[in-house]
Structure formats: C-alpha cells, structure tokens
Amino acid sequence: MPVQKRQCPASGTPYDVRGEGSRYTLFSSTTVLQAGTNDSHEVLAVVTATGMATSRGQLMSSIIFPAPMVFKYDEELPIVIALMVLYAIPCAVCTIAFQYHNGSYSQWVTKFVYCMGVVNQCLNPLLPVVLTVGDVQAVRRLKALGIVCLDPGRVAISGKIRIFALDKTGTLTQAWLHFLGVQPVQSASIHTTHAGISMDTVQYLDKTGHIQTDLKLLWGLATCHAVSASEAGGLVGNQVEVNMFSSTGWHLIETNGQAPRVQHPSDAGQQLTIVRVNEFEHARRSMSVVALDECTGELHVFCKGSFERVGEVVCQESVPSGYLQTGEQHASEGCYVLAMAHRCLGVMPVNQAAALSRDELEAGLNLLALLLFRNELKPDTAEAINHLKEGQVRPIMVTGDSAHCAAYIGRACGMVAQHADILLADIDTCGSVSWSLMGSNRQDAKLHPSFTTAQVLEMQKQSEQKPLAELAVTGAAFDKLQQSEAMEQLLFFTRIFARFAPQQKAEVVSMHQRAGLVVGMCGDGGNDCAALQAAHAGLALSDAEASLVSPFTSNNKSMSSTVELMREGRCALHTRLACYKFLITYGLHFSVFNIAAFWYGIVLCQMVFISTDIFATIFLGYAMTLARPAKKLGRERPSSSLLGIQTMVSLLGIWILNVLFLVAALCFMRNQAGYVLWPASLALEAEWWVLGDNWESSVLFFVVFYQYITCALVYSFGSSFRLGLFYNWAVTGLWVALMTLTTLLLLLPHSGFTHVWHIASQQFNSADDYSPVWEAYREEGFPESPAMSFEFRIKLFALCLGNILVMVLWQKFIAEGMGSRALARIFPSKRVKLQM
C-alpha cells in the first residue's frame, strides 16, 4: 500500500521530522508514484537534509555504527581477559623457570620469545571474533525466513527476552479493518434517556458493501478522512479511512489547484468540498475536516476519533446515557470503535474558517454515531502466543486502542485465559484511579465491582503464585499510578496497556528494563517507533517508518517472526558461549601443553601448530557457529554469563580432567621400557626445528590434540536451544576427519606421512636418522633407543579414548544434566518470577 504524504500546513509549530513532520516529509530514496492530481500539477519540495543527515544516511550510520547495547557477556568479557592475564603471569614465570631447569642452552632473548608465545596462547586473538560469527550465521538464517537484521549483536540478546511487548492492530491482528457499519444517535427512542436521546440500532453495510444511513452522517463518512485518489484509479490512505469512504459509494474528485471534492454517486449536484483537513494527532486521538456544502454554501465540521475522546469533547447534551457502555460492549466483542461528531458553521467565507484554530473549530460538536470496524486476528497469532508462553516468555499488549477491544483480542489469541477475570484501571469522575471488572464478569458477586489500587495490589501479592486477576491499565491511569510509584509494584501483574501514546509505550518497555528484564517489542506503525527503539530487541512488522528504528524487520509481517527471532536468539547465545569456552579451552590447554614441553626442553614441529591453529581452531571454531536452532522454544533460557556457574563447571571441569589425563599419559610414558628422557642439556634451545624428535613431543601432541578437538564436539551438544550434534554435519564431519587423521598418525608405522608430524614411531635416536641432539647423546657414550612400540601406541590410544568418554559424560550429565540442576537448586536464581 503506497504511503500518502500531504502538504506541510502553515502553522506556528516547529518542523520536526521525527515527530508530526514525518507526515509531510519525503524521506531519502522514496519512490514517488504520484505528485499532485495530474501530470500538469506542479509540486515543489524543500530539501531539509542531505547525505548522512537524511533518514537513509542515519539508517546507514546505524548499520555501520550500531548503538551500543551492553549486555552481561559484554560486561564480563574484560573480566575474563583480566583473569586470563593473571593466569598468563604464572604461566610465563613457569616457562622461564623451566627453560633454566631443563639445562638447554639459550640466550635470554630466546627465553623471552618462548615466554611471549605462551602468553599469546593464553589470550587468543580470535576470542572477540568468534563471539560474533555465530550471530552472523543467525542473521543469515533470519534473512532466509524474511527477517532482516540491522544489528547482529542484538540477535544473541533476544535469546534472553523474558517480556515481549506486542502492539495490537497490525501486529496481533490484521493491518486492515473491515468496516461493519454505524450506530447513530437517535433523538427519540423507546428507551428514553436524558435529553430524549439514545443510541439507535446498528446499521450494517448492505449486500453491495455500502452504508444506508442519515444524510449528515453519510457526509461525515464521505469527508472526514485523509484519503487521496491515485492515477491508477485506486484510493490511497489509511485502510480504516479507505474502507469507511468506500462504504458510502461516493466519488472522490481531485482537480489541479483545487481542494478535493466528494460527489454523490447518483446526484452530481450533491457535492461537498473538503476545504481543510486537521490530521490525526495522538494527543487528541482524533482528526477533523471542514467541508463546504456546494448547494447551500454552509460549512460543516466533522470530527472522527476514539469514542472515549469524542465523548469528552462534544456537547454533553448530545451524548446519550450508556454511550460509553455501548462503545465498550462493541469493543469487548472485538470491534475497533470510533465515533463521529458534527458541527455546522453556517455560511461564512472559507478563509475565515481557515483562520480559526483547531480548538475553535472542534468546540460545540454534537455526537452523530459510533463507527464499527472488525478487528480480525492474524492466522498465526494464537499459535505464536502459545509458543512464547511455552518458552517462558511473558507476552503483554501495548496498544493505542481501547482496553475492551484489547481484552477481547487478548482472550482470542490466548494471551489472557478465557476464564480469567480482568481488572481495568481507569480515571474516575473524581480524577483518581479506580479498578473495575471488565466484560461479562462485571457483576460477579464474588468480587466487589470497584477496588482501590491498594486493594488490588494486596490481592495480587496474596495470590502471587497465581494472581487473582489479569490487570489492564489505560494511559491516563498509567500516568497517575506512576506518580504514586504504584505502577512499579503492579507492573508484573499487568497484561494490557490500552489507550497508550507512543512515549507511554516506550516507558512501559523502559520500566521492565529498569526491573532487570530483557524486553522485546513488536509493532507495525509509526506510533511504535519509540518503543521499538527502546527495547533490547525491536521487531517491526512493517517496511515503513517503524523499520527505520528497529534492529529487526519482518518482511512477511507475521507474528511467528517473534518465535523465530527467539529461537535464533537462544541458539546464537548458546553458540556464543560454546565458542567462548572453545577459545578459552585453547588458552588453558595449550598453556599447560607448552609448560610441559619446556619442562622437557622440547618444541613441537610446525605441522603440529598448523594442525592445531588452522584445522582445529579456525575450521572447528567456524563449524561450531553453524549450529541450527531447536525446533521449538524450551522452558529454559541459555546462560549469558561468561563466568556463571554452569559455564565454569563445563569449562574448568573438562580442563581439570584433561590435565589429569595428560599427567597420567606422561607418567605412563616414563614407565615404558624403551623410553629415554630427551637430553635437553645437549640442545640449543634456539634451534626449535630439532627439538621435536622425541617421545615427549608425540605423547603431548596426541593427548592434547584429541582433547582439544573433542572440546569442540562436547561444547556443540544441542541442549534445549540447538538441534542435536549430528544435525551440525560440519562439526561432526570435521571431528571425525581429524580423529581419523590423528589416529592414523598414532597407529601407522613410520612413513613419509608420519614423518611430516615427527611422530615417534620413527627411531630418532639411531645412527640411520640424523638428529644433532641424539648424535651428541650417543657421542657422550649413551646407546641408541627404540621408537615408540605399537603396543604402547595402542595403549596410549585407549587412554585417549577413555579421556574422550569422560569428557562426553561430564558435559552431558554434569555440566548440562544432573549436576547443572543440582547447582540450580543450591544456588537458586534471584530473577523475578513472572506469570506467563
């Protein structure tokens, strides 16, 4: 649907492109389909911004330089780096000390370089990179689902959402509304009311889709809108107004240089010219027009807006008793309810009417009728709400519509249980907040029909496990409750926020954030922009203004996008933690690996480091980020803490187990009959290329490499946030390939293949194999020593398989299973408990 832009009015209000001025602004890169009423109509535009100052420029700037959103793992990452620096200090000391201990000859520069190598391995430079690669993969998958992301860092944050604020019209319900009909005010009725007026019966559209009603009301339906005609022959504007105008059957005529006119379909002499349009304002919750009757020359003011607002501003003598209850009844049945009011200005010059202020024009209005539109749920809304609740995400409704219509939609989509009572907070005639039951339960004898805020708060607290009723508040009551700070206490019991202005929507989001909750917001209109921007994860179901400020935009405009975002967010967050543990494991394992190597005075061959840093770290690290999300939202959310108990149990537990297995393997090696300790005192430490020809190098390589690649495997377990390990064929395939390669290197006899890795299946201490260190050893009078026997290598392989099994069991049953649940009971979460 094309977006309609109008001429900027000549008023004293300062132009603000972010406020009301957006209605009159052609944003950068806008495609203009039509300007004016025909090709000869000259339309001028004033450039107010260029380059990065335009809306498109600011959008590009927000993509390149997104607004920082500091999350828990962002706050903890500097602490982790500091801890790794502290860990690197004793590692550096041990490296220097062991180089002096092993007896090899070297300059201080050599010792320092080796020491810095160990420190650098403790602080892997890939750590910041790998934390974001998983987000990029999630962004790609979201794009395939029709969800565009401008800030990849928000994906993982969305995995911790506990509150999802949802707009109603266009989000939970269809963007378009069916015009049902009108309920006029009748001056005489069987049901007599004060001043002799009452509400007439509802007049529905006839079979042709047109409305047959009072002429004055028909004029209002034909003129009180901001609809324009396109050159293609259709109507452009708000769908509510397009459907309302179409129901009259009148024709909209726009002529170059003249005000638009509407004409009766069968009586061309019956015409009204729309001489002034006062746009809809959120503060007023209404819009109005001034129309000229071409037959009589009289000017008429028509005002259309929310039925509560129109009921307040019209002459009270024209308002039937029970008017509000009638509007509420229609709203509680799922209708979007507006009201129409009228005032005749009589015969007067058009320029004189144009000079009147809006307040002057809209004074003395008389109520004409209620306008009824049907608000239908989107087909997938109920299912999406159910998935959110199953995933322990509390959905709340934040809407500009009436509370009664919101309550109907809330029940229809499952946000509010069908049997649940709803207490509505609104401002009474005394200006204070009063709570009353909504809907059919209003006269329930078990509950008093009216409550004070203190009574409601006490009742809700006494039944905290299962609150007595769902709460709904209007925008006016919300402001009043905020003044007394009662809103903070009622916040987690409140399900529906109705008749809320854009800034009030943003305040609802901010209040939940200040309570320590991660909040998502989903909306489709310009009135949702502030809330979308304030939320941790804003999802726009629109390609108009809302998409400019939201980090996520759904092109399919489906409520299921909220669930898809949550699934991908939880997957991305869990993947972040897995990649983080993998890179920290690199620093922890290879610091011990290097310290052990310097204890023996050895340096492994370069192919070992190529295998570790490229094939294992880079390839496996990238493969881990390809994990796909679980098919449904589970009840738990992944941890976001780099230093949390579950993270530390997994990371440190596996590290300690692996260090124990490494020590066991080295002790097992020392007890072998053919083993000879590497003669480090005969080596020059700077000649690293000859320091790997020994048993120690092979044992260290095989044990630590098996451990390291298996860490990638166990950290990739699906848990409840990702699909199972075998769905990530990249990790599984790479692990199998590297396991096969390593096992062949260990078990095959000496060949050119094993020689590349300097495997000790080769007899290094032999006259047939040149090694300057071993040659010096033999020159000292020591005999030759054998290669590692096949029997020893088989036993070493069995030890490594046992190590792998223990790692898998630890991760599956301790870090993610019974141990994790036991720790959760010992250290219970202090987070706020929410009623889903």
Side-chain angles (χ1 to χ4, degrees):
M1 174 58 66
V3 177
Q4 184 184 32
K5 299 291 181 178
R6 287 187 167 273
Q7 179 180 350
C8 187
S11 64
T13 306
Y15 170 78
D16 179 14
V17 69
R18 295 183 179 275
E20 295 296 325
S22 63
R23 299 176 177 177
Y24 322 113
T25 303
L26 297 175
F27 293 102
S28 177
S29 298
T30 296
T31 300
V32 179
L33 301 178
Q34 177 181 333
T37 55
N38 54 55
D39 294 337
S40 63
H41 194 175
E42 184 177 2
V43 178
L44 300 179
V46 178
V47 176
T48 60
T50 59
M52 295 301 287
T54 64
S55 58
R56 188 186 188 192
Q58 292 171 0
L59 177 62
M60 293 299 297
S61 177
S62 67
I63 296 172
I64 300 171
F65 308 105
M69 178 69 75
V70 180
F71 204 48
K72 191 171 186 177
Y73 46 70
D74 297 311
E75 295 175 341
E76 292 179 345
L77 188 58
I79 300 175
V80 170
I81 293 174
L83 291 174
M84 293 303 293
V85 169
L86 292 175
Y87 170 75
I89 293 173
C91 290
V93 172
C94 290
T95 301
I96 297 292
F98 289 175
Q99 287 182 84
Y100 281 106
H101 165 269
N102 62 42
S104 60
Y105 175 78
S106 65
Q107 299 289 335
W108 69 268
V109 174
T110 304
K111 292 181 171 62
F112 177 77
V113 170
Y114 285 146
C115 175
M116 288 299 99
V118 174
V119 171
N120 287 336
Q121 282 190 312
C122 291
L123 300 169
N124 197 304
L126 290 176
L127 182 59
V129 177
V130 80
L131 290 179
T132 61
V133 175
D135 295 345
V136 174
Q137 298 296 339
V139 168
R140 290 177 180 173
R141 291 192 294 268
L142 285 171
K143 186 176 181 180
L145 295 170
I147 302 172
V148 180
C149 176
L150 301 182
D151 186 357
R154 302 288 184 101
V155 178
I157 295 176
S158 65
K160 294 293 287 185
I161 290 175
R162 298 193 63 198
I163 297 287
F164 224 123
L166 306 166
D167 179 40
K168 183 181 73 68
T169 307
T171 302
L172 295 170
T173 66
Q174 303 285 2
W176 37 264
L177 300 174
H178 292 294
F179 184 48
L180 293 180
V182 298
Q183 185 170 13
V185 173
Q186 192 176 42
S187 58
S189 174
I190 299 174
H191 306 288
T192 305
T193 65
H194 80 282
I197 57 174
S198 67
M199 297 302 299
D200 201 348
T201 57
V202 177
Q203 299 173 357
Y204 295 101
L205 302 186
D206 60 23
K207 293 181 180 180
T208 64
H210 294 151
I211 189 73
Q212 306 296 330
T213 186
D214 176 75
L215 182 61
K216 196 176 296 182
L217 177 55
L218 197 63
W219 286 0
L221 297 176
T223 60
C224 195
H225 55 74
V227 175
S228 294
S230 68
E231 292 178 348
L235 297 174
V236 178
N238 183 290
Q239 283 301 294
V240 171
E241 295 183 335
V242 169
N243 290 338
M244 180 188 73
F245 174 73
S246 299
S247 71
T248 64
W250 287 42
H251 304 304
L252 178 62
I253 303 170
E254 293 181 329
T255 307
N256 185 19
Q258 298 181 11
R261 292 175 292 134
V262 292
Q263 180 180 291
H264 193 279
S266 58
D267 183 1
Q270 192 175 153
Q271 293 187 4
L272 295 169
T273 302
I274 305 172
V275 298
R276 177 174 171 178
V277 177
N278 295 315
E279 297 276 359
F280 175 83
E281 291 183 5
H282 290 290
R284 292 177 178 269
R285 287 184 287 161
S286 64
M287 64 91 64
S288 60
V289 298
V290 179
L292 172 64
D293 182 358
E294 297 291 351
C295 295
T296 63
E298 291 183 329
L299 292 174
H300 298 267
V301 178
F302 294 97
C303 178
K304 175 177 94 282
S306 72
F307 69 92
E308 300 100 330
R309 176 63 178 174
V310 173
E312 292 172 0
V313 300
V314 299
C315 294
Q316 292 306 299
E317 292 78 8
S318 68
V319 180
S321 63
Y323 164 75
L324 285 178
Q325 288 79 2
T326 302
E328 290 172 357
Q329 180 62 33
H330 286 307
S332 65
E333 294 171 355
C335 287
Y336 180 75
V337 185
L338 300 178
M340 179 79 73
H342 166 262
R343 174 192 177 190
C344 180
L345 296 178
V347 178
M348 63 185 302
V350 172
N351 57 356
Q352 184 178 344
L356 296 175
S357 68
R358 182 166 180 176
D359 289 333
E360 291 173 328
L361 279 175
E362 296 179 3
L365 293 166
N366 291 310
L367 187 65
L368 282 181
L370 292 174
L371 315 182
L372 307 180
F373 299 82
R374 192 66 184 173
N375 219 181
E376 299 289 349
L377 277 180
K378 290 181 177 178
D380 61 346
T381 294
E383 183 181 8
I385 294 296
N386 183 52
H387 285 318
L388 290 177
K389 286 190 168 187
E390 288 180 348
Q392 294 297 290
V393 178
R394 175 177 168 84
I396 61 174
M397 194 186 306
V398 188
T399 177
D401 201 356
S402 76
H404 292 81
C405 185
Y408 172 86
I409 296 299
R411 292 187 194 276
C413 70
M415 187 182 296
V416 178
Q418 291 293 333
H419 62 275
D421 294 318
I422 302 178
L423 284 172
L424 173 64
D426 205 351
I427 302 298
D428 59 19
T429 54
C430 300
S432 58
V433 177
S434 177
W435 297 80
S436 58
L437 276 169
M438 295 178 65
S440 59
N441 295 328
R442 184 187 297 272
Q443 303 300 326
D444 195 327
K446 294 185 293 183
L447 294 172
H448 195 275
S450 182
F451 304 92
T452 64
T453 301
Q455 289 174 326
V456 171
L457 185 58
E458 185 63 26
M459 287 188 297
Q460 297 297 93
K461 285 183 175 180
Q462 287 177 358
S463 54
E464 192 165 343
Q465 294 299 320
K466 187 177 181 181
L468 180 67
E470 297 278 16
L471 303 186
V473 297
T474 63
F478 177 80
D479 289 339
K480 197 78 173 180
L481 290 169
Q482 273 195 305
Q483 295 172 11
S484 63
E485 299 184 356
M487 195 62 236
E488 284 79 0
Q489 301 175 55
L490 293 167
L491 186 64
F492 299 137
F493 302 114
T494 306
R495 181 75 69 177
I496 296 172
F497 301 83
R499 291 299 186 204
F500 267 55
Q503 288 306 316
Q504 287 177 312
K505 291 186 177 186
E507 180 59 22
V508 170
V509 170
S510 299
M511 286 182 69
H512 283 93
Q513 289 174 328
R514 290 195 294 270
L517 300 178
V518 180
V519 184
M521 171 67 194
C522 184
D524 73 308
N527 60 340
D528 301 316
C529 288
L532 289 168
Q533 199 165 23
H536 289 102
L539 174 62
L541 305 186
S542 167
D543 50 9
E545 288 96 334
S547 64
L548 298 178
V549 298
S550 178
F552 301 98
T553 300
S554 174
N555 293 326
N556 55 29
K557 301 175 179 58
S558 167
M559 260 298 292
S560 63
S561 297
T562 58
V563 180
E564 297 298 339
L565 177 60
M566 292 287 300
R567 289 174 55 244
E568 289 291 353
R570 291 184 179 184
C571 174
L573 181 56
H574 200 247
T575 300
R576 266 192 176 223
L577 267 294
C579 293
Y580 156 77
K581 290 187 288 186
F582 185 59
L583 267 294
I584 294 296
T585 293
Y586 176 92
L588 294 175
H589 280 65
F590 284 96
S591 59
V592 174
F593 171 89
N594 283 308
I595 289 172
F598 288 121
W599 172 264
Y600 290 108
I602 63 174
V603 176
L604 278 72
C605 73
Q606 291 304 292
M607 199 60 193
V608 168
F609 292 103
I610 291 173
S611 302
T612 301
D613 293 338
I614 296 179
F615 296 119
T617 303
I618 295 179
F619 289 174
L620 271 176
Y622 178 78
M624 290 174 69
T625 66
L626 301 178
R628 290 179 290 166
K631 293 182 179 180
K632 59 181 292 186
L633 288 178
R635 294 180 60 84
E636 298 177 347
R637 280 171 294 277
S639 172
S640 61
S641 175
L642 304 181
L643 300 171
I645 294 176
Q646 186 177 358
T647 306
M648 290 295 100
V649 167
S650 172
L651 178 62
L652 296 181
I654 286 179
W655 177 56
I656 292 170
L657 289 171
N658 287 346
V659 169
L660 293 176
F661 270 94
L662 178 60
V663 171
L666 292 174
C667 292
F668 180 55
M669 174 192 70
R670 291 177 68 91
N671 292 327
Q672 296 305 301
Y675 170 72
V676 174
L677 181 67
W678 170 252
S681 59
L682 302 177
L684 293 176
E685 202 169 19
E687 296 179 352
W688 51 265
W689 55 91
V690 299
L691 303 183
D693 298 337
N694 45 66
W695 283 35
E696 292 88 348
S697 295
S698 294
V699 171
L700 280 173
F701 166 63
F702 285 120
V703 175
V704 175
F705 195 74
Y706 274 128
Q707 292 173 347
Y708 185 51
I709 62 174
T710 305
C711 282
L713 188 79
V714 298
Y715 293 152
S716 295
F717 287 165
S719 188
S720 59
F721 315 112
R722 301 181 290 180
L723 290 178
L725 174 64
F726 295 106
Y727 287 95
N728 190 344
W729 58 265
V731 167
T732 308
L734 272 172
W735 182 80
V736 170
L738 291 174
M739 280 289 295
T740 302
L741 171 67
T742 311
T743 303
L744 290 174
L745 288 172
L746 176 59
L747 300 181
L748 286 177
H750 172 62
S751 64
F753 174 61
T754 61
H755 179 72
V756 175
W757 277 266
H758 289 230
I759 305 303
S761 55
Q762 175 182 355
Q763 186 181 2
F764 295 118
N765 183 14
S766 167
D768 296 331
D769 191 279
Y770 175 74
S771 171
V773 179
W774 287 114
E775 184 177 1
Y777 176 79
R778 292 192 299 273
E779 289 175 355
E780 292 286 331
F782 296 102
E784 294 182 355
S785 57
M788 288 171 56
S789 67
F790 181 74
E791 181 184 359
F792 170 67
R793 284 180 281 140
I794 283 288
K795 291 179 180 178
L796 182 62
F797 178 61
L799 179 70
C800 292
L801 288 181
N803 189 0
I804 291 171
L805 179 61
V806 170
M807 291 171 65
V808 170
L809 293 176
W810 179 270
Q811 182 68 19
K812 193 68 179 176
F813 296 104
I814 303 299
E816 295 183 0
M818 297 178 295
S820 176
R821 290 190 288 271
L823 287 171
R825 288 192 295 267
I826 297 171
F827 303 99
S829 173
K830 297 181 181 178
R831 64 190 178 201
V832 178
K833 294 183 179 180
L834 299 174
Q835 181 71 19
M836 293 303 112

